[in-house]
């Protein structure tokens, strides 16, 4: 079985896996980083969103082989205590219901604000539309992103 | 020495908690110091719904499945209200299966708060009453001269206060009162107010463990391809390609069941890791006989509803107050719901660990009794009382 060197949350890992194994399963099953969620496995829900080199990516759609020498960030890598501005915004707006989609939502928002500190309402809407929420927390997600924008630009 | 009256059930609990096989059941004469309880205890647990430790921290055992509706916050609030504690000292834990009555672990119909409201208020009130009695014994005053306030018992004569945590070992020795008085709703401090969801930070940092995040030593993963239509059957499956996927252990076909479980017929791939199982499932070549139900549609279903409802007597589902007073504002509407999947974001998952003649189960379930009873039936396991 081939082995791969991965940089996840600023830590180096070497994993042995089939080269077509999606990053999602490497994270969840091999590295025990279960904060990244499995929803559909077919690029429909966004629950598996992680950040690779600054971009929000569906981890279920990226094979492990394509992630070597890239900087991968998962929800566990944002902060230990929820102190990342986006997590704080989420906390303030009390976003989650079941919470299952939220790591993915948060990662998409982090990637968005990482590129653009002041995105327009339309940009926010279109970027965030990559993530579904079965509980329907969209209105609070919008609020949370506004709180995060205030925090970042403070 | 004055013998204490100890409820037998309660006594067993205390005895098993007391360290070093200390015989308990009496208090020493001249006992005063609150900080020096008569025996060592870890916590006070008067019923299945709550426990209080020596630091005054309260754990409320929630028998309902948290799935975003907020029962992990709402149900502890009800207990905390009657207990008169600071809600920041309260945390929730899942009520271990079997500690509540059959059916009480079920979650559904948007009825969690409604169905356990009185029970939980009682549970909190019982604990509070016992803490008050414990304090009254310490101060050698009447219970009526004591009041509960924010995690402490107050001596209303001297205004002295004792923290709940310092009373738990004494309270644990007391008989459980048969009846308690509940608060007048006008005195509510928590119920009716808004509280922040519990466990929010864990969700936001990815620490919350959902059913699908659980792992047990040496577990195998099964994923299944199900017949697209209810009551359909499997005609044939070619699993040659699937079995070649590294990690695949076995391919198993199974028949469906009718009501109430409505499990559709399927083919499951068992593998050492979930990715192998998913990949192999996609390689299964299956022929289904979809059966009689493959022509059903929402329109047909709604027609059936209509025909069946016509001429049938109406059933009253909910009544509150005198409706005739408002008859001028009568509103009528017809609602029909299609046959829909819940479509949860977390794929349905479950863990069973069979060792010899025992089977342990883990999962996020609305109706754990159903799971336990079906699995006990299928596997020939006996249900163990908690
Ligand atoms: S699990 Fe990756 S998009 Fe749904
Ligand atoms: S919070 Fe439940 S799916 Fe989004």
């Amino acid at each position: 079985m081939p082995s791969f060197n991965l940089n996840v949350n600023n830590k180096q890992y070497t994993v042995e896996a089939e080269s077509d194994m999606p990053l999602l399963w490497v994270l969840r099953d091999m590295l025990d980083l279960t904060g990244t969620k499995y929803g559909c496995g077919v690029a429909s829900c966004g629950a598996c969103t992680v950040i690779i080199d600054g971009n929000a990516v569906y981890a279920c759609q990226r094979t492990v082989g394509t992630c070597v020498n890239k900087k991968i960030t998962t929800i566990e890598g944002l902060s230990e205590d929820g102190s990342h501005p986006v997590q704080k915004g989420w906390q303030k707006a009390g976003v989650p219901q079941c919470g299952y989609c939220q790591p993915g939502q948060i990662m998409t928002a982090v990637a968005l604000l990482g590129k653009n500190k002041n995105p327009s309402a339309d940009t926010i809407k279109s970027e965030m539309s990559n993530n579904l929420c079965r509980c329907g927390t969209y209105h609070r997600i919008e609020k949370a992103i506004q709180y995060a924008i205030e925090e970042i630009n403070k | 020495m004055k013998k204490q009256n100890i409820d037998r059930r309660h006594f067993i609990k205390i005895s098993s908690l007391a360290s070093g096989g200390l015989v308990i059941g009496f208090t020493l004469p001249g006992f005063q110091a609150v900080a020096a309880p008569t025996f060592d205890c870890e916590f006070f647990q008067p019923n299945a719904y709550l426990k209080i430790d020596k630091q005054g921290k309260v754990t409320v055992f929630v028998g309902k499945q948290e799935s975003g509706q907020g029962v992990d916050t709402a149900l502890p609030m009800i207990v905390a209200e009657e207990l008169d504690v600071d809600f920041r000292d309260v945390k929730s834990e899942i009520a271990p299966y079997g500690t509540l009555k059959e059916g009480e672990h079920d979650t559904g119909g948007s009825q969690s708060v409604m169905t356990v409201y009185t029970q939980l208020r009682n549970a909190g009130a019982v604990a509070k009453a016992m803490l008050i009695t414990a304090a009254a014994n310490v101060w050698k005053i009447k219970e009526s001269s004591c009041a509960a306030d924010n995690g402490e018992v107050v001596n209303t004569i001297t205004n002295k206060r004792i923290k709940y945590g310092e009373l738990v070992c004494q309270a644990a020795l007391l008989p459980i009162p048969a009846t308690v008085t509940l608060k007048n709703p006008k005195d509510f401090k928590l119920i009716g107010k808004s509280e922040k969801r519990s466990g929010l930070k864990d969700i936001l940092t990815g620490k919350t463990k959902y059913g699908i995040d659980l792992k047990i030593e040496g577990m195998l993963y099964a994923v299944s391809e199900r017949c697209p239509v209810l009551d359909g059957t499997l005609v044939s499956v070619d699993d040659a390609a699937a079995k070649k996927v590294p990690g695949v252990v076995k391919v198993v076909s199974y028949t469906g069941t009718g009501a109430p479980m409505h499990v559709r017929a399927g083919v499951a791939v068992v593998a050492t890791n979930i990715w192998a199982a998913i990949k192999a499932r996609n390689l299964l070549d299956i022929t289904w006989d979809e059966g009689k139900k493959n022509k059903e549609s929402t329109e047909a279903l709604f027609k059936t509803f209509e025909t069946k409802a016509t001429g049938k007597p109406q059933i009253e589902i909910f009544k509150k107050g005198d409706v005739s007073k408002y008859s001028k504002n009568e509103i009528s509407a017809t609602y029909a719901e299609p046959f829909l999947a819940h479509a949860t974001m977390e794929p349905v998952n479950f863990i069973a660990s069979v060792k010899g003649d025992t089977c342990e189960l883990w999962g996020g379930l609305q109706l754990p009794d159903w799971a336990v009873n079906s699995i006990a039936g299928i596997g020939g396991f006996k249900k163990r009382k908690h």
Side-chain angles (χ1 to χ4, degrees):
Chain A
M1 218 181 285
S3 84
F4 302 92
N5 289 324
L6 298 176
N7 179 323
V8 184
N9 302 329
N10 292 323
K11 267 193 219 149
Q12 273 313 125
Y13 295 92
T14 306
V15 295
E16 279 191 14
E18 298 291 330
S19 54
D20 66 347
M21 185 187 268
L23 176 64
L24 173 65
W25 301 116
V26 173
L27 294 172
R28 289 182 51 84
D29 280 1
M30 306 183 105
L31 306 183
D32 250 325
L33 294 166
T34 54
T36 303
K37 295 297 181 236
Y38 167 52
C40 66
V42 295
S44 289
C45 73
C48 64
T49 306
V50 297
I51 297 176
I52 301 181
D53 288 344
N55 299 310
V57 169
Y58 290 159
C60 71
Q61 298 301 306
R62 281 292 284 267
T63 56
V64 56
T66 68
C67 300
V68 175
N69 294 329
K70 308 238 149 96
K71 193 172 151 39
I72 303 162
T73 310
T74 70
I75 186 79
E76 290 91 346
L78 288 189
S79 74
E80 215 355 82
D81 54 354
S83 58
H84 186 283
V86 172
Q87 288 168 317
K88 275 162 80 180
W90 247 250
Q91 168 103 24
K92 192 169 167 196
V95 175
Q97 281 189 37
C98 78
Y100 198 78
C101 72
Q102 300 297 342
Q105 305 275 6
I106 290 172
M107 296 317 279
T108 302
V110 169
L112 166 65
L113 299 183
K115 289 183 200 167
N116 180 351
K117 281 190 175 174
N118 238 323
S120 68
D122 281 350
T123 310
I124 295 173
K125 265 221 164 82
S126 73
E127 287 293 317
M128 294 310 296
S129 70
N130 292 321
N131 294 70
L132 293 182
C133 175
R134 171 64 172 82
C135 299
T137 62
Y138 302 111
H139 55 301
R140 288 199 296 275
I141 288 175
E142 275 178 38
K143 237 196 239 168
I145 292 177
Q146 290 309 334
Y147 290 143
I149 290 172
E150 281 165 30
E151 173 91 14
I152 290 168
N153 294 302
K154 207 156 59 184
Chain B
M1 264 184 219
K2 187 170 149 260
K3 278 242 179 207
Q4 291 266 152
N5 198 8
I6 293 179
D7 173 278
R8 166 118 188 105
R9 198 168 58 101
H10 201 57
F11 177 75
I12 293 166
K13 220 167 244 166
I14 300 164
S15 320
S16 58
L17 288 177
S19 56
L22 194 63
V23 180
I24 48 152
F26 50 85
T27 48
L28 301 171
F31 167 73
Q32 321 156 324
V34 173
T38 47
F39 72 99
D40 195 22
C41 76
E42 284 172 58
F43 48 77
F44 163 47
Q45 181 170 8
N47 49 52
Y49 301 104
L50 80 149
K51 69 175 183 189
I52 309 173
D53 71 14
K54 287 199 270 191
Q55 279 68 50
K57 299 280 180 218
V58 180
T59 306
V60 173
F61 297 100
V62 174
K64 304 293 172 192
Q65 174 74 38
E66 174 63 69
S67 29
Q69 81 280 47
V71 284
D72 273 358
T73 314
L75 304 195
M77 281 171 76
I78 300 169
V79 174
E81 178 68 68
E82 290 292 345
L83 190 56
D84 268 316
V85 282
D86 186 336
F87 196 56
R88 279 164 296 186
D89 288 332
V90 179
K91 68 174 173 105
S92 73
E93 258 177 38
I94 297 170
Y97 180 75
T99 54
L100 305 177
K101 282 204 298 288
E102 177 128 354
E104 234 189 288
H105 292 279
D106 294 355
T107 314
S110 301
Q111 292 186 357
S112 292
V113 167
M114 199 161 95
T115 49
V116 294
Y117 182 66
T118 312
Q119 252 151 297
L120 293 183
R121 285 184 65 191
N122 252 305
V126 162
K128 181 172 70 180
M130 293 169 79
L131 290 161
I132 286 178
T133 305
N137 290 348
V138 169
W139 286 319
K140 302 201 168 53
I141 58 172
K142 285 206 193 92
E143 283 143 352
S144 56
S145 300
C146 296
D149 177 44
N150 202 29
E152 296 178 329
V153 180
V154 188
N155 180 332
T156 55
I157 306 162
T158 62
N159 273 330
K160 280 201 175 121
R161 301 171 83 94
I162 312 179
K163 291 190 164 55
Y164 282 179
E166 292 164 4
L167 290 165
V168 298
C169 296
Q170 288 92 330
L173 291 169
L174 298 170
I176 293 169
T179 54
V180 282
T181 323
L182 299 182
K183 273 187 180 176
N184 185 329
K186 75 169 172 30
D187 298 325
F188 282 169
K189 294 190 180 98
L190 275 168
I191 293 177
K193 306 266 156 48
S194 181
E195 267 299 332
K196 275 252 180 283
R197 266 286 301 285
S198 69
L200 206 57
K201 236 184 208 158
D202 284 348
I203 291 178
L204 303 180
T205 49
K207 292 193 183 86
T208 303
K209 291 275 179 226
Y210 295 81
I212 205 165
D213 299 327
L214 302 182
K215 275 175 206 162
I216 59 168
E217 211 23 56
M219 70 189 265
L220 293 174
Y221 295 79
V223 299
S224 71
E225 187 68 41
R226 297 177 181 85
C227 179
V229 181
L230 206 62
D231 294 350
T233 50
L234 175 72
V235 176
S236 65
V237 54
D238 177 355
D239 58 13
K243 278 183 169 156
K244 285 204 192 95
V245 173
V248 170
V249 176
K250 208 173 177 179
V251 177
V252 189
S253 309
Y254 56 92
T255 50
T257 67
M261 307 303 269
H262 289 300
V263 174
R264 285 175 287 153
V267 182
V269 178
V270 185
T272 53
N273 68 83
I274 190 165
W275 167 239
I278 292 174
K279 199 160 102 172
R281 177 189 55 186
N282 296 340
L283 296 171
L284 292 172
D285 189 359
I286 303 176
T287 310
W288 302 108
D289 173 356
E290 293 188 347
K292 291 200 192 93
K293 293 206 163 85
N294 71 345
K295 297 254 154 36
E296 289 197 4
S297 66
T298 300
E299 294 83 60
L301 189 68
F302 283 178
K303 279 218 180 81
T304 314
F305 290 166
E306 246 182 84
T307 340
K308 288 205 168 174
T310 325
K312 288 274 162 63
Q314 292 168 10
I315 305 164
E316 189 173 82
I317 290 174
F318 186 74
K319 187 174 181 167
K320 197 176 179 188
D322 181 5
V323 184
S324 66
K325 274 196 206 156
Y326 307 96
S327 55
K328 267 189 226 130
N329 303 322
E330 195 176 303
I331 295 166
S332 78
T334 307
Y335 298 98
E337 274 192 72
F339 187 63
L340 280 181
H342 275 198
T344 53
M345 288 288 281
E346 178 186 357
V348 175
N349 64 85
F350 196 66
I351 301 178
S353 166
V354 180
K355 286 199 189 96
D357 57 359
T358 65
C359 177
E360 262 182 51
L361 311 167
W362 290 266
L365 295 168
Q366 256 192 288
L367 306 165
D369 288 330
W370 281 28
V372 169
N373 292 336
S374 330
I375 291 167
I378 295 164
F381 299 107
K382 272 203 221 68
K383 258 173 82 174
R384 192 182 61 203
K385 280 265 172 274
H386 196 84

